[in-house]
Amino acid sequence: MHGRVKVKSTAQQEEEKRKEREKKLKAFVSARDAVLRKRSAGEHDEEALQLTQQLLSSNPDFATLWNYRREVLLQLETSREKDEVQKLYESELHFIEACLKVNPKSYGCWHHRSWVNTRLPQPDWTRELGLCDRCLSLDERNFHCWDYRRVVVKESGVSVEQELQFTDRLIGSNFSNYSSWHYRSTLLPQLHPQPAPDSASNTSPSPTASPQIHSHRVCEEQLLKEYELAHNAFFTDPNDQSAWFYYRWLLGRAEREEMISCVYVSRERERVSVAFSKPVHAQSEGLMLVLDGQPQQVEWRSTHPRLRHSPVWLCDLPPGSVSDISNEHNLTVHWTEKYTHRDCALYTGCAESWCRDSATDQELFRSELSVEKSSVLQAELQSCNQLLELEPQNKWCLLTIILLMRALDPLGHEKETLAHFQTLKEVDPMRSSYYSDLCSKFLIENTILKMEYAEVRVFSLSNKNLTTLCHLDQLLLVTHINLSSNQLLRLPPQFAMLQCLEVLEADDNAIESLEGLYHLPKLEEVSLRNNRILFAIQSKCFIRNPFSAFRASAWFDLVSRSQYSSLINSYRLCRIMEGQQI
Amino acid sequence: WQWLLVTMLSVCVHFPGLTESVIAAACSRVGQSVLHLDRRNYYAGNWASFTFNGLLSWIEEYKQKVQITESEQVWRSLIDEGEDVVPLSSVDSSISNLEVFCYARLALILLTTNTEHEVSEPEEEQHTSDISEPSQSQEEKDSQPISSPADPPVEVEKKITYQKLVKEGRRFNIDLVSKLMYSRGALVDLLIKSNVSRYAEFKNIGHILTCRNGKVEQVPCSRADVFASKQLTVVEKRMLMKFLTFCLDFEQHPEEYQDYTEKPFREFLKNKKLTENLQDFVLHSIAMVTQQTLTEEGLKATQHFLRCLGRYGNTPFLFPLYGLGEIPQCFCRMCAVFGGIYCLRHSVQCLVVDKASNKVKAVIDTRGQKISCSHFVVEDSYIRDEQRQSTAYRQISRAVLITDRSVLPSESDQQISLVTIPPLESSAPAVRMVELCSSSMTCMPGTYLVHLTCSSSGTAQEDLAPVVSELFHVSTIPGEEPSEVLWVMYFNMRDTSALDSSSYSLPSNVHVCTGPDGSLGSDCSIKLAESVFHHILPDEEFCPPAPNPEDIIYDGDGPQAEGPGFDESVNTEAEEEESNQE
């Protein structure tokens, strides 16, 4: 009969749904109570499996139940034949799959699955890999599944090539995918390792044979292909950051060799300063000081009490050991952990002496970008410039260009770099402070290079909009520093690494904190005109005691006369004042 | 035939193509009684899908063109005072220039490399004659020995024979019109809104291709395609992406195109600095417009294409499994579920018009029965020339090919491809080709069903044969290597989509639906259906969602009725009626 169709009303449907939900809740709660009772009674039987299964299939995130299930399974395992155990765990896998459909991002499920596979007498890894493929095709960013995939790949020995093809596929279908790019970055060095520079003639291409330092690099031929892939991605969508990050990884990050970069010895203070290529904790690094063939018992301390890890460490020599100016001394600092050392000779008639490598940009500042050949970098720079022409506002492109320019020739590209930074700050005002800091860093690096080339101990970087100070460990030997007319906010604790500093000019900044200034043994002249110190202290004083304002400003008059001794005095004065205020 | 006594109909739909089916479903859905009549023995008229054998009979029928003698006497007596008669055409002349060629061998032969005589055997028969021949020669050849068994088969190549096509004919679903569904087009929206989508399954189109200089290549249209494209330079990728991104919300940037609103889209593309390459891609394969199309229309078409991307995968199109003919049938099914009555091989001879109101009040069918109705919906091909104001038809040229390999061999052979073939001269029409794989359930495994469509400038064969021979290897000399094309059919179909109600002189409650148009989507038909529906029932909603089967209350039965599903039972009823009718 073709009659009229009668349809339930929404109220009816709602009511039915509500009843349904209520029924479900009741069932869930009673089952949960039953399971918890069983567990506390220490019962490990089939019934427990059934009950937890019911509960977990509606709520797979109930971690306690997964734990209980494992207890039960371990118990059951002991009383079963091998093929029964296999069956038991296989059905467990089927069950987990059902749970994953409820919540594909359940920690409990994925963890349990890994566990089950370790218990399974004959795990079927192909099936597991297929499961990962399916899950990742549904949600390519499901990191639980990525993790699990790595476990599966490791256990089943899937070849690196296959995995690389897998990332090809995922990137091909959607390249906005950090997970695949990152996975790729871990696979490529395994599949196409960069031949070690010396062992190239050695005819042993085994990646394990190449030194540790090159193990994360990729051979050039493959690298060029990868550059192309990255170009394709960022020319297609320059605002997608995943490809840019991958590109940055490709361009590489040179690791600086761990070494003692400088040893400085001062006869007058009987003190040795040692600079390392990276921050270390000297007390635990097995540092040994040998003076004229005699190992010395010295106490290492960092330049500032707040610095636990520091690239610069100091020690005082035994009194009188080097004070006679007519004696010549030979000093060696051993870094036993790293099997490296540096010698330093203190000649007759010299008040001080140092030994270090003359720094080049390659060694000092290649931390951001590549160790690639400059021809490769040059080609990459061209590609990026081409993109910039099309997309003059693209921040990723601008930033990458800056990094490439620095890797190629930091001094030669300085002007362009600064212009690009200006554009960056305009197109991405949210991160303008980041760009300012980065720009400051690059300017400091450039100034250090210029200083190195000129072989002077004067560091001058005034009127450059510096917002932060860095690489201060490179300034260990600097005696004169001019930081005037910048936008510095403070002299950080690291400033104490300038152990040879005699004259500091930092007028016209916004310095509020002078933390790094108190531990400089040779400082004679300080100029801090027109800074924020006054403001900072004054406002503090005003709040606490309006009458001390006069004395605080008096102190800064003294400072502005650039009298270091006065500073020390007034500093004490200030401390006293503060004590009174509180 | 008791049911035909129910003669008080709201709507009588004649010749249900897509538009008519949608109108019928929409009317039936809101409680109108609907009767479908069709003089054919299959659903959907020119929207129909045929099995291979079904298509052969359709061809046969076309060739015979049986003229049904009209018996005026039958209905004369049924006409009352004050009534007028509008006779309908009984001959469908919408198909013309039908030509069929068969290149498939007539029996399975073993191709051996060491015997010349076998290759030269006349087994490979080429039919350039008319359709009736294949069956004849098939019989002839069957009686011949297949090949001499003495020859040792060195290399065996199995080609699909004509017999095999006929034997497996059931596996084919060959559409007379070739269209795809835009994922955000009017048809998909309607299928979702009305819940009719549940009656069909769909497959994503896998490849969007184009053919330039005789080479088939991928059209980069989505972000992933552009990224993966090997033909584009990185700069082209950027320019294309930039342009496509602009098109997505071009209305927001009128300044970009306002100077070009009166100029062709092509010029605008040039102005946007797209290379020749990219202009072709955008014009022919993405916007799918002609050289003469104006900028704004081109932008709209591009935008529509882009908006459809990503909804159901990386291309903007879907295809219904089992062919496009499924879609009208789905709507018919919904119509039947809500009480619509279907009657095939049953036609209306004439309309009975009330002279006073100049409205159709009844129709008289071929069996001389007078059926009252308040609205009559009819396909254009039933209208006699006397009722026409204008006969400005266009024609669509169509070719249907069965091939044994894909135009773009790829890693997966189960992909549906859309190939746009730009015209060789700018005056010629662009050809659109859809290649369906066997998993689309439209052809037998091992074959591809290829549809070519363009607006006619000559006969279908004149228009399309050059394209066929450019894209496929078609053997012309017997004995040459086997043809890729197994079977070809060319025909022209009338495109009446440009006509509207002003083109006919008919009573106002007769609604003429135009046949399939030449465009790729079906938006035109759906929009027409909606407007006719609103004309018939101005206050009713167009295809509101059909209720879920579980929400339907059965007479004298609880909501959880057991037994066969509602849909099924209705369907069998409908079928029963159809057979009753015989």
Side-chain angles (χ1 to χ4, degrees):
Chain A
M1 274 282 282
H2 291 132
R4 295 260 47 76
V5 177
K6 289 177 198 165
V7 179
K8 287 179 201 164
S9 68
T10 29
Q12 264 174 310
Q13 287 172 327
E14 281 304 308
E15 181 59 17
E16 256 173 52
K17 275 186 194 156
R18 197 187 58 79
K19 274 185 187 154
E20 191 69 20
R21 275 200 299 272
E22 232 165 55
K23 225 168 91 188
K24 268 190 190 165
L25 181 67
K26 223 168 144 188
F28 186 87
V29 168
S30 67
R32 182 198 63 194
D33 293 344
V35 167
L36 296 180
R37 258 198 315 279
K38 274 180 84 71
R39 195 187 186 198
S40 50
E43 288 172 42
H44 296 109
D45 51 16
E46 295 272 3
E47 193 198 357
L49 281 186
Q50 269 169 22
L51 281 171
T52 50
Q53 178 157 352
Q54 281 168 21
L55 289 168
L56 286 167
S57 33
S58 61
N59 174 18
D61 296 309
F62 202 152
T64 311
L65 297 188
W66 288 116
N67 284 335
Y68 183 33
R69 241 180 130 72
R70 279 191 282 274
E71 289 164 17
V72 176
L73 286 167
L74 284 172
Q75 180 70 35
L76 292 177
E77 202 183 294
T78 54
S79 58
R80 304 265 176 118
E81 290 295 319
K82 196 178 165 192
D83 51 336
E84 280 185 335
V85 172
Q86 176 82 16
K87 270 194 199 124
L88 181 71
Y89 282 118
E90 269 171 7
S91 66
E92 190 70 3
L93 288 179
H94 283 294
F95 166 55
I96 297 169
E97 250 169 75
C99 291
L100 284 174
K101 279 179 196 156
V102 178
N103 179 9
K105 292 191 173 178
S106 160
Y107 284 87
C109 282
W110 288 105
H111 175 249
H112 192 61
R113 198 167 183 93
S114 309
W115 181 83
V116 168
N117 271 311
T118 60
R119 304 301 306 172
L120 204 61
Q122 286 153 335
D124 182 357
W125 294 115
T126 358
R127 197 173 160 277
E128 295 306 298
L129 204 63
L131 177 92
C132 291
D133 281 358
R134 245 182 309 144
C135 281
L136 289 176
S137 70
L138 293 173
D139 176 4
E140 58 214 355
R141 299 191 195 186
N142 184 345
F143 68 86
H144 303 269
C145 185
W146 277 106
D147 279 344
Y148 184 65
R149 190 184 176 92
R150 276 187 278 274
V151 172
V152 173
V153 166
K154 198 174 145 208
E155 293 297 329
S156 59
V158 175
S159 75
V160 182
E161 284 96 335
Q162 264 173 298
E163 286 301 280
L164 197 68
Q165 276 165 14
F166 175 68
T167 67
D168 277 342
R169 217 164 64 230
L170 285 193
I171 291 170
S173 67
N174 177 13
F175 62 83
S176 303
N177 188 340
Y178 291 104
S179 312
S180 330
W181 287 114
H182 172 258
Y183 195 33
R184 209 174 164 78
S185 76
T186 62
L187 298 172
L188 281 173
Q190 294 176 53
L191 198 61
H192 306 283
Q194 188 183 46
D198 295 326
S199 63
S201 56
N202 225 348
T203 64
S204 75
S206 154
T208 49
S210 65
Q212 193 65 35
I213 201 159
H214 296 291
S215 65
H216 65 288
R217 302 296 313 153
V218 179
C219 75
E220 190 173 321
E221 192 189 347
Q222 184 62 30
L223 208 54
L224 291 176
K225 284 185 200 156
E226 296 301 311
Y227 284 138
E228 206 185 309
L229 194 66
H231 292 165
N232 278 334
F234 62 63
F235 269 87
T236 304
D237 186 356
N239 293 316
D240 186 89
Q241 34 182 322
S242 57
W244 284 109
F245 279 121
Y246 181 65
Y247 187 59
R248 288 268 289 275
W249 174 80
L250 285 176
L251 289 169
R253 222 169 277 264
E255 273 176 25
R256 278 193 71 190
E257 203 185 332
E258 291 177 325
M259 60 173 211
I260 298 171
S261 49
C262 178
V263 173
Y264 168 81
V265 71
S266 158
R267 213 187 270 278
E268 178 201 359
R269 299 208 161 248
E270 300 182 314
R271 184 182 283 182
V272 176
S273 310
V274 182
F276 298 88
S277 56
K278 63 164 200 181
V280 295
H281 185 62
Q283 281 99 340
S284 60
E285 292 282 345
L287 278 193
M288 195 172 71
L289 182 71
V290 180
L291 180 64
D292 301 323
Q294 295 295 313
Q296 302 289 317
Q297 275 289 335
V298 289
E299 202 170 299
W300 294 98
R301 61 177 195 279
S302 78
T303 49
H304 191 281
R306 269 187 48 196
L307 299 176
R308 292 285 189 87
H309 269 76
S310 166
V312 177
W313 290 81
L314 313 171
C315 71
D316 291 320
L317 292 168
S321 54
V322 293
S323 55
D324 190 348
I325 199 150
S326 56
N327 284 345
E328 186 179 320
H329 296 284
N330 280 313
L331 201 81
T332 307
V333 179
H334 290 272
W335 189 5
T336 48
E337 290 270 291
K338 307 286 175 201
Y339 308 102
T340 178
H341 68 274
R342 187 168 286 281
D343 302 316
C344 178
L346 183 59
Y347 297 112
T348 319
C350 291
E352 57 183 5
S353 175
W354 62 85
C355 170
R356 63 185 195 113
D357 289 332
S358 63
T360 65
D361 59 322
Q362 308 272 328
E363 289 153 17
L364 288 179
F365 308 124
R366 278 298 179 83
S367 54
E368 289 302 324
L369 272 193
S370 182
V371 284
E372 287 315 319
K373 283 189 205 143
S374 63
S375 60
V376 173
L377 291 179
Q378 196 70 52
E380 292 311 304
L381 180 61
Q382 264 170 19
S383 302
C384 289
N385 276 328
Q386 201 178 22
L387 179 60
L388 191 70
E389 249 171 62
L390 303 171
E391 299 289 321
Q393 307 272 295
N394 188 277
K395 60 173 179 172
W396 297 102
C397 188
L398 282 163
L399 188 59
T400 309
I401 287 180
I402 289 173
L403 296 175
L404 280 165
M405 283 179 166
R406 292 206 54 75
L408 280 162
D409 180 6
L411 293 177
H413 288 297
E414 186 174 293
K415 218 170 153 186
E416 286 162 277
T417 310
L418 289 175
H420 285 330
F421 266 119
Q422 197 50 46
T423 324
L424 266 178
K425 282 185 224 174
E426 282 158 19
V427 299
D428 188 17
M430 296 275 282
R431 272 156 286 270
S432 68
S433 300
Y434 168 74
Y435 298 127
S436 294
D437 284 359
L438 197 62
C439 184
S440 303
K441 183 177 167 214
F442 292 161
L443 283 170
I444 289 169
E445 288 177 359
N446 285 4
T447 313
I448 290 172
L449 288 176
K450 284 180 211 162
M451 183 180 74
E452 294 290 337
Y453 295 145
E455 294 186 359
V456 291
R457 294 173 73 184
V458 178
F459 183 89
S460 178
L461 196 53
S462 61
N463 202 10
K464 291 281 192 234
N465 292 323
L466 290 193
T467 53
T468 184
L469 291 173
C470 56
H471 290 306
L472 291 165
D473 55 305
Q474 303 285 341
L475 304 180
L476 177 61
L477 301 175
V478 163
T479 56
H480 290 69
I481 190 163
N482 182 1
L483 300 169
S484 297
S485 304
N486 283 306
Q487 289 157 25
L488 296 172
L489 297 176
R490 56 203 212 108
L491 299 176
Q494 287 80 0
F495 203 74
M497 292 174 194
L498 280 72
Q499 285 290 310
C500 300
L501 191 65
E502 290 164 16
V503 177
L504 165 68
E505 286 174 76
D507 298 339
D508 303 314
N509 276 292
I511 297 172
E512 291 174 6
S513 146
L514 300 170
E515 244 183 311
L517 211 58
Y518 308 137
H519 300 81
L520 296 175
K522 294 194 171 177
L523 195 57
E524 286 166 9
E525 260 183 70
V526 175
S527 178
L528 284 165
R529 273 191 211 96
N530 193 16
N531 273 295
R532 293 262 179 88
I533 313 164
L534 173 66
F535 175 72
I537 304 289
Q538 204 173 34
S539 55
K540 218 192 247 170
C541 295
F542 266 125
I543 293 158
R544 287 177 184 159
N545 182 355
F547 300 104
S548 64
F550 168 74
R551 276 184 284 180
S553 43
W555 172 51
F556 285 102
D557 280 344
L558 296 177
V559 173
S560 60
R561 275 180 219 123
S562 317
Q563 295 300 314
Y564 177 62
S565 57
S566 312
L567 173 67
I568 296 300
N569 290 339
S570 53
Y571 176 61
R572 280 189 197 116
L573 178 75
C574 191
R575 289 275 282 261
I576 295 159
M577 259 165 45
E578 276 179 357
Q580 283 173 345
Q581 287 157 26
I582 298 158
Chain B
W1 320 345
Q2 289 137 329
W3 58 272
L4 272 183
L5 298 173
V6 188
T7 50
M8 273 311 291
L9 286 167
S10 304
V11 183
C12 178
V13 178
H14 206 178
F15 192 89
L18 178 62
T19 315
E20 297 85 340
S21 312
V22 173
I23 296 167
C27 291
S28 153
R29 172 70 185 89
V30 295
Q32 303 296 313
S33 53
V34 176
L35 171 67
H36 277 252
L37 298 172
D38 198 333
R39 65 178 159 219
R40 301 183 178 280
N41 57 353
Y42 52 85
Y43 284 98
N46 279 352
W47 292 84
S49 289
F50 293 102
T51 62
F52 189 61
N53 314 56
L55 187 65
L56 293 178
S57 345
W58 179 81
I59 293 166
E60 205 72 16
E61 207 177 292
Y62 164 83
K63 285 285 165 189
Q64 286 162 8
K65 268 198 183 158
V66 191
Q67 204 81 19
I68 305 155
T69 45
E70 289 163 54
S71 46
E72 275 199 27
Q73 292 75 22
V74 178
W75 47 262
R76 268 296 163 217
S77 59
L78 295 164
I79 305 305
D80 300 333
E81 194 66 25
E83 287 176 348
D84 211 348
V85 166
V86 177
L88 293 183
S89 161
S90 59
V91 180
D92 180 5
S93 54
S94 58
I95 305 291
S96 53
N97 302 326
L98 194 140
E99 299 286 345
V100 175
F101 302 94
C102 180
Y103 299 98
R105 284 150 198 250
L106 287 175
L108 181 89
I109 57 157
L110 301 173
L111 249 191
T112 57
T113 51
N114 60 348
T115 52
E116 269 187 78
H117 96 106
E118 172 144 290
V119 180
S120 59
E121 253 185 320
E123 305 243 347
E124 184 172 327
E125 184 90 6
Q126 195 195 9
H127 290 261
T128 47
S129 53
D130 277 337
I131 4 78
S132 52
E133 264 201 14
S135 52
Q136 288 175 3
S137 41
Q138 179 193 339
E139 283 158 33
E140 278 171 31
K141 299 292 169 184
D142 268 355
S143 56
Q144 286 184 0
I146 291 169
S147 67
S148 49
D151 296 325
V154 177
E155 194 183 300
V156 180
E157 190 185 350
K158 280 188 181 171
K159 288 293 288 186
I160 292 160
T161 58
Y162 185 75
Q163 281 93 335
K164 180 100 172 155
L165 290 180
V166 173
K167 193 169 161 244
E168 301 274 333
R170 271 186 321 105
R171 293 176 178 271
F172 287 92
N173 280 293
I174 303 169
D175 291 314
L176 294 184
V177 289
S178 168
K179 284 177 180 298
L180 298 176
M181 300 161 66
Y182 277 95
S183 338
R184 282 182 204 281
L187 177 54
V188 169
D189 287 348
L190 180 63
L191 285 169
I192 294 170
K193 182 188 167 207
S194 61
N195 261 347
V196 171
S197 56
R198 75 176 81 171
Y199 299 133
E201 287 180 89
F202 304 90
K203 189 172 160 70
N204 217 152
I205 276 54
H207 293 142
I208 310 275
L209 309 172
T210 187
C211 174
R212 298 186 311 156
N213 313 323
K215 223 179 107 225
V216 173
E217 50 188 42
Q218 196 124 17
V219 176
C221 50
S222 69
R223 189 167 169 268
D225 289 345
V226 174
F227 168 67
S229 169
K230 297 254 189 292
Q231 318 133 33
L232 299 184
T233 67
V234 284
V235 175
E236 280 182 315
K237 289 185 181 192
R238 184 80 291 272
M239 296 313 289
L240 182 59
M241 280 303 284
K242 212 170 171 173
F243 179 76
L244 296 181
T245 319
F246 155 75
C247 286
L248 263 180
D249 55 352
F250 75 93
E251 296 99 330
Q252 311 291 318
H253 311 280
E255 70 283 356
E256 299 269 341
Y257 64 92
Q258 60 192 6
D259 297 344
Y260 284 84
T261 43
E262 298 300 313
K263 294 179 188 167
F265 189 39
R266 178 122 217 170
E267 273 186 44
F268 178 67
L269 296 178
K270 262 184 212 148
N271 169 259
K272 280 279 161 191
K273 297 203 181 82
L274 298 185
T275 58
E276 240 2 66
N277 235 348
L278 297 179
Q279 289 174 30
D280 283 347
F281 283 142
V282 174
L283 195 73
H284 300 299
S285 303
I286 295 176
M288 289 183 261
V289 293
T290 65
Q291 304 273 6
Q292 290 78 37
T293 308
L294 294 182
T295 300
E296 208 156 338
E297 199 189 327
L299 284 170
K300 276 205 183 102
T302 312
Q303 185 185 50
H304 185 43
F305 183 100
L306 295 172
R307 284 194 174 160
C308 292
L309 281 173
R311 191 179 198 183
Y312 304 112
N314 268 342
T315 68
F317 304 109
L318 292 177
F319 184 78
L321 294 189
Y322 301 99
L324 201 70
E326 283 297 291
I327 301 293
Q329 291 213 45
C330 290
F331 283 99
C332 291
R333 189 168 181 192
M334 159 142 139
C335 180
V337 166
F338 287 93
I341 299 167
Y342 283 79
C343 200
L344 298 178
R345 288 196 203 120
H346 200 120
S347 189
V348 169
Q349 289 189 61
C350 60
L351 310 178
V352 180
V353 181
D354 182 57
K355 276 179 181 163
S357 61
N358 191 30
K359 288 206 167 182
V360 168
K361 55 191 280 193
V363 297
I364 295 174
D365 71 2
T366 37
R367 291 184 174 88
Q369 188 131 11
K370 190 170 174 182
I371 307 164
S372 302
C373 66
S374 47
H375 287 275
F376 185 70
V377 177
V378 65
E379 212 264 350
D380 172 86
S381 65
Y382 282 75
I383 304 298
R384 291 193 174 195
D385 287 345
E386 301 98 87
Q387 276 88 43
R388 293 182 190 280
Q389 303 276 19
S390 89
T391 47
Y393 294 147
R394 283 177 296 186
Q395 293 280 342
I396 304 166
S397 289
R398 292 270 294 114
V400 176
L401 285 71
I402 299 169
T403 66
D404 65 357
R405 77 198 64 173
S406 172
V407 283
L408 184 85
S410 62
E411 66 278 10
S412 152
D413 60 351
Q414 290 300 318
Q415 296 277 2
I416 301 177
S417 308
L418 168 68
V419 191
T420 47
I421 301 131
L424 296 172
E425 311 134 46
S426 60
S427 60
V431 176
R432 201 175 65 227
M433 178 170 117
V434 175
E435 184 189 76
L436 301 165
C437 56
S438 59
S439 68
S440 71
M441 308 307 208
T442 55
C443 53
M444 60 176 276
T447 63
Y448 293 87
L449 184 63
V450 181
H451 289 282
L452 284 90
T453 311
C454 72
S455 51
S456 309
S457 48
T459 66
Q461 194 189 349
E462 285 160 7
D463 287 342
L464 297 171
V467 177
V468 171
S469 50
E470 191 181 349
L471 280 168
F472 298 95
H473 177 79
V474 184
S475 63
T476 45
I477 311 147
E480 221 194 12
E481 59 183 303
S483 170
E484 281 171 22
V485 179
L486 304 173
W487 190 85
V488 192
M489 167 173 84
Y490 295 103
F491 63 93
N492 288 90
M493 186 185 277
R494 195 187 282 167
D495 175 7
T496 51
S497 61
L499 303 178
D500 59 18
S501 53
S502 68
S503 313
Y504 311 94
S505 52
L506 286 165
S508 64
N509 59 344
V510 174
H511 309 277
V512 184
C513 296
T514 56
D517 64 338
S519 69
L520 180 58
S522 314
D523 290 25
C524 167
S525 306
I526 302 301
K527 293 212 171 91
L528 177 63
E530 193 167 356
S531 89
V532 169
F533 175 80
H534 286 308
H535 205 249
I536 298 173
L537 302 159
D539 304 322
E540 294 281 358
E541 194 189 345
F542 181 61
C543 288
N548 291 318
E550 65 266 26
D551 291 336
I552 295 172
I553 303 170
Y554 294 83
D555 286 337
D557 223 341
Q560 275 80 38
E562 75 319 317
F566 183 78
D567 296 341
E568 283 168 57
S569 60
V570 167
N571 208 28
T572 48
E573 251 174 85
E575 280 163 18
E576 269 168 31
E577 277 160 6
E578 274 159 31
S579 53
N580 282 345
Q581 202 240 116
E582 299 288 300

